Amino acid sequence: MIKNSVYKGSLSTIVMKLLNDNGQMYGYQITREVEEITAGKLKITEGALYPVLHKLEAQGLLNVNMEKVNNRPRKYYFLTEKGKKETVSLLSDMRSFIQNMEVLLNPGISNG
Amino acid sequence: MIKNSVYKGSLSTIVMKLLNDNGQMYGYQITREVEEITAGKLKITEGALYPVLHKLEAQGLLNVNMEKVNNRPRKYYFLTEKGKKETVSLLSDMRSFIQNMEVLLNPGISNG
DNA sequence: AAAACATACCTAAGAATCTTATGTATGTTT
DNA sequence: AAACATACATAAGATTCTTAGGTATGTTTT
């Protein structure tokens, strides 16, 4: 994902947050959505995304809803109850990380 | 580094920013400093830090100044000119990443 | 003075995450 | 017909981190 990797490890969080907001999405849609939301600055590669989706499903955080649109299969993913709880936790972790980075990047400034 | 890893890939940036602000630091000091600045929330492990310091040195981004204090050796690291330029770039990338994450985490809110 | 803790360096195996490259298949546009 | 877009997928390799050690000296506690 993302050209210039300062940021490994945030892909699962991004995916789950999107599913949390949109109900259900399919893989290709996620790649388009992230690119659109960030004005092309973040690019998720499919080679990173699909394995993550499979992993999250294996962990019981996502479920799949298979559909056929225009004679092509689509796999809609959505959060399980366990996945919703995990999303809350991951978002909390991400906000903590960002706050910590703000403190490190802006020392001496009241970060609050 | 950091217990709860949403965030791989930011260790080099953190290290170089600290060296940029403090002139020179030694490894153990960096682990203490990060823990102090973030009130114990970010913990850099030595198993992660030392290989990074060696890698940055090999890339010509850091130089070393060996000293002996209390009969123990200390390796003070400091940024080269190349390292200073790279730090500017890494900090820019990190700020972009944080901004992009803000947009993703807070959709529909004017992030500016 | 022995034990425990802190300082200060280091490496190596393995796990986790991503990049790059590639593959399949269908539909749409040039 | 060729190129592009949609939609899925995997696999080799690179990078980054965790975990678990190891060495050595100085300081504090028992």
Side-chain angles (χ1 to χ4, degrees), chain B residues 16 20 61 79-89:
Chain B
M16 292 177 74
N20 186 72
L61 302 174
L79 294 173
T80 61
E81 282 308 311
K82 186 180 171 189
K84 287 178 188 174
K85 286 177 192 165
E86 181 66 13
T87 301
V88 173
S89 172

Side-chain angles (χ1 to χ4, degrees), chain B residues 1-3 9 11 45 47-48 55 70-72:
Chain B
M1 64 166 294
I2 302 163
K3 301 305 167 190
L11 183 50
T45 64
K55 191 198 73 177
N70 292 330
N71 204 29
R72 271 196 242 91

Side-chain angles (χ1 to χ4, degrees), chain A residues 95-112:
Chain A
R95 293 205 172 88
S96 292
F97 170 66
I98 290 176
Q99 271 190 20
N100 287 328
M101 286 306 304
E102 301 275 14
V103 174
L104 286 166
L105 298 194
N106 310 308
I109 295 183
S110 71
N111 303 83

